[in-house]
Amino acid sequence: MTAERFDAVVVGAGFAGSLVADRLGRRGWRVLVLEAGAEQPPAEQLQAFRTAVAKVPGSALAPNAVVPSPEVLDLAARDGGGHRATGHLLQNGELPYGSGYLRANGGSGLAWTGLTPRMHPEDFRAGDFGPARSWPIGYDELEPYYRAAEREIGVAADADEQRVRVGLPLPEGYVFPMRPVPPSYLDQVVAAGLDGRSVRDPADPRPTPVELRVVGTPSGRATTPATFPATAEAAEAAEAAADRPACAGSASCIPVCPTGAKYTPLSTQRRWPPTVQLRTQAVVSRVLVDAGGRATGVEYQAYRDPASPRHTRHTVHADVVVLAAHAVENARLMLAGGLANSSDQLGRNLMDHPVLLTWGLMPEQTGPYRGPGSTSGIEGFRFGAARAHRAPFRIEIGNWGWSWAVGPVDGDIAELLHRGDPAAPTGIGLFGKELRQAARDRIGRQFALQFEMEQEADPANRVTLDHARRDLLGNPRPVLTYGLSDYVKRGMAAAKAVSDQLFALLGAEDHTAHHPGLPGYFEYQGAPLRFHGAGHGAGTHIMGDSPATSVVDSAQRCWDHPGLYAVGCGSMPSVGTSNPSLTMAAMALLSCERIHQDLTNRHRISLST
């Protein structure tokens, strides 16, 4: 069989891969996108989610035994301590890697939270403050691509608020494409109790208190289009969001926005030019390189039945190969081929945003389960000299009650039915009017805080391969080794101390309980703590300014292989405290400039010979 040839082949049709294909296609390059997972219409995803017993990020996807998606339900506690993992990922670390990802057309961008805060300029210089790595590029270099990514996603935010309350140096006159998502009622209650007051950071040796302020979080969901000056950029932003209605507050953003208000990579795919082709159920198993180390194409395995290992093998040649399959899968593919590892950093430095959850009952009704999962946060613990002493963190105010911390409201109702009101225990279940009143009082006052930690790049946290245990297509499965440093654990202990002060200021009942035997549980200086994964896998093909210490350069091009790019969060040297999707999108758009230049140079050489 004659191998096909394209200008570029992109591996993965998620956030980064869809953007790269779009931008290259718009410049006239012939692009093939190979996605390992299957295509599933949004209506089918919504129906699957509604009927799923466990409402987790992967519950909207149809089963796929050939290409399984790692899921939070794959983790369980071992009797006597520790954890065990089932599913796609093998784990052997001190602590569990608690984040999954989706292997389907659209990738994890199908089930993201939709939050799009930028990284702060200080985050790019993290090495100046603590143990995290600094980036080889600064905020100013990425800033134009942030704006382009915000236009593509249709970000809703208040530019003045981001300047004043977060300290972002946005260009003068800059307007986000969408008007900000209105604050939830809970946001307003919390702001009334906290704004202008202050708390102590126990990890900061300085006596200076941290002032509190509830700040709106930029969001990748449609609202009302902003009023722009009549520019080409404004027209681009309007086009990108034209197919999405305004957010209706459906409270099921993960995994599925039922109205389509939230951006997903499928929105970009709908605008792909004809020069871009997508093939789903196509698992890339090998990157081809020539004798000089240059990437020349890929081999992939095509399957029809997601329950059967039967497949056919194919080869595609291209001038540029772009890996955009997730931090774990990118590393897995390059490790399997013995590529891109002259620095011995490939697969290492696996990061996430470990999340500490605290939860309680407010003195009054808070109106939970309305709108997106979070619409506002508290930013004061992200920056400054305290980073030298503990991991910085950002506080998200959770609008969905105790669902992440404890589980859906079904559990509250079951407790009321079987044991009665926990506030006045009688051991006798409630029914009828009493049940309704107790449910309203308990569920209607629920709230939670989510403390997202920066995790530094630690070479000991890594992805390796188990060649003895393979998936249905015969490819080696990834093994994750993961743990938390004392730096992160100090950050979590400080976050819990801050939470205690916030609950006291709000007059809230604290119901937070971190129990031994649950995945993610640990003790730090005698205090019980537990972390959750945020789904923000990063660092496994880390970016740097030297091929001796990193895998890719500042354009995400592999140092060892001309023509091979590894894009996505796997390139991030540090993750700051912002949800990473927007930064990943900006990085992908920056890389497109370099890829376009590479392709142009290659074709000039071809024409001249």
Side-chain angles (χ1 to χ4, degrees), residues 232-244:
E233 291 184 347
E236 181 187 354
E239 179 190 353
D243 64 342
R244 291 186 282 143

Side-chain angles (χ1 to χ4, degrees), residues 142-161:
L142 201 59
E143 203 283 330
Y145 302 99
Y146 266 135
R147 279 181 276 149
E150 286 162 351
R151 291 194 298 273
E152 176 67 29
I153 294 169
V155 169
D158 182 332
D160 288 339
E161 184 179 45

Side-chain angles (χ1 to χ4, degrees), residues 26 98 298 420 505:
R26 288 192 201 184
V298 300
L505 291 173

Side-chain angles (χ1 to χ4, degrees), residues 534-558:
H536 299 168
T540 53
H541 40 86
I542 199 161
M543 176 192 295
D545 56 12
S546 167
T549 57
S550 57
V551 178
V552 301
D553 65 14
S554 59
Q556 303 187 83
R557 186 175 66 170
C558 292

Side-chain angles (χ1 to χ4, degrees), residues 178-536:
M178 293 282 170
R179 297 185 187 278
V181 175
S184 68
Y185 181 67
L186 173 61
D187 293 337
Q188 299 173 51
V189 170
V190 174
L194 298 183
D195 275 1
R197 305 179 78 172
S198 61
V199 298
R200 283 291 312 278
D201 177 353
D204 189 347
R206 303 168 306 164
T208 307
V210 178
E211 182 179 345
L212 303 172
R213 187 71 58 183
V214 173
V215 179
T217 304
S219 177
R221 42 182 54 82
T223 58
T224 303
T227 302
F228 292 100
T231 64
E233 291 184 347
E236 181 187 354
E239 179 190 353
D243 64 342
R244 291 186 282 143
C247 175
S250 305
S252 63
C253 314
I254 298 177
V256 177
C257 172
T259 65
K262 187 182 72 173
Y263 171 86
T264 75
L266 304 184
S267 179
T268 293
Q269 291 182 16
R270 285 192 285 270
R271 298 192 304 281
W272 276 350
T275 53
V276 178
Q277 292 185 34
L278 170 66
R279 289 176 196 166
T280 58
Q281 300 183 212
V283 181
V284 172
S285 55
R286 184 184 172 204
V287 177
L288 304 175
V289 296
D290 64 18
R294 181 176 186 89
T296 60
V298 300
E299 290 181 353
Y300 72 94
Q301 300 159 288
Y303 65 96
R304 292 185 177 180
D305 182 354
S308 169
R310 295 186 62 182
H311 64 275
T312 54
R313 291 186 177 273
H314 306 265
T315 299
V316 175
H317 293 299
D319 292 325
V320 166
V321 175
V322 182
L323 306 183
H326 186 270
V328 172
E329 297 299 325
N330 276 359
R332 177 194 185 196
L333 183 54
M334 289 188 283
L335 286 168
L339 303 176
N341 201 19
S342 64
S343 64
D344 191 32
Q345 293 300 302
L346 179 62
R348 297 185 182 273
N349 308 301
L350 175 65
M351 292 178 278
D352 196 357
H353 282 130
V355 180
L356 176 79
L357 300 176
T358 62
W359 58 98
L361 296 176
M362 294 286 279
E364 58 193 280
Q365 293 286 304
T366 62
Y369 299 98
R370 298 172 187 171
S374 179
T375 39
S376 297
I378 298 173
E379 310 284 337
F381 302 91
R382 294 176 59 183
F383 318 118
R387 297 178 84 149
H389 307 287
R390 50 95 178 135
F393 53 87
R394 180 174 180 274
I395 306 174
E396 287 184 6
I397 301 169
N399 290 327
W400 293 349
W402 296 358
S403 58
W404 191 4
V406 176
V409 296
D410 311 46
D412 295 284
I413 299 299
E415 185 173 11
L416 293 172
L417 282 168
H418 290 284
R419 300 176 185 170
D421 189 348
T426 62
I428 300 174
L430 301 179
F431 297 91
K433 182 179 179 181
E434 289 182 328
L435 173 63
R436 291 194 296 274
Q437 288 179 336
R440 177 183 183 277
D441 176 69
R442 185 173 181 82
I443 299 170
R445 293 190 294 131
Q446 290 182 354
F447 81 108
L449 300 178
Q450 302 155 191
F451 297 79
E452 297 199 3
M453 304 284 143
E454 179 181 56
Q455 180 173 31
E456 79 275 24
D458 180 351
N461 288 342
R462 63 186 303 193
V463 179
T464 55
L465 301 181
D466 188 333
H467 292 274
R469 288 185 283 184
R470 294 174 178 260
D471 63 19
L472 283 183
L473 296 181
N475 300 311
R477 290 169 60 190
V479 182
L480 272 55
T481 306
Y482 187 72
L484 302 181
S485 68
D486 277 358
Y487 180 70
V488 174
K489 291 177 178 177
R490 278 197 300 276
M492 286 206 163
K496 181 60 174 65
V498 168
S499 177
D500 292 344
Q501 297 174 73
L502 298 180
F503 276 59
L505 291 173
L506 293 168
E509 297 174 23
D510 194 345
H511 287 250
T512 306
H514 298 131
H515 296 295
L518 293 174
Y521 175 86
F522 67 94
E523 295 181 7
Y524 182 71
Q525 296 182 342
L529 296 166
R530 185 189 177 202
F531 75 97
H532 297 253
H536 299 168

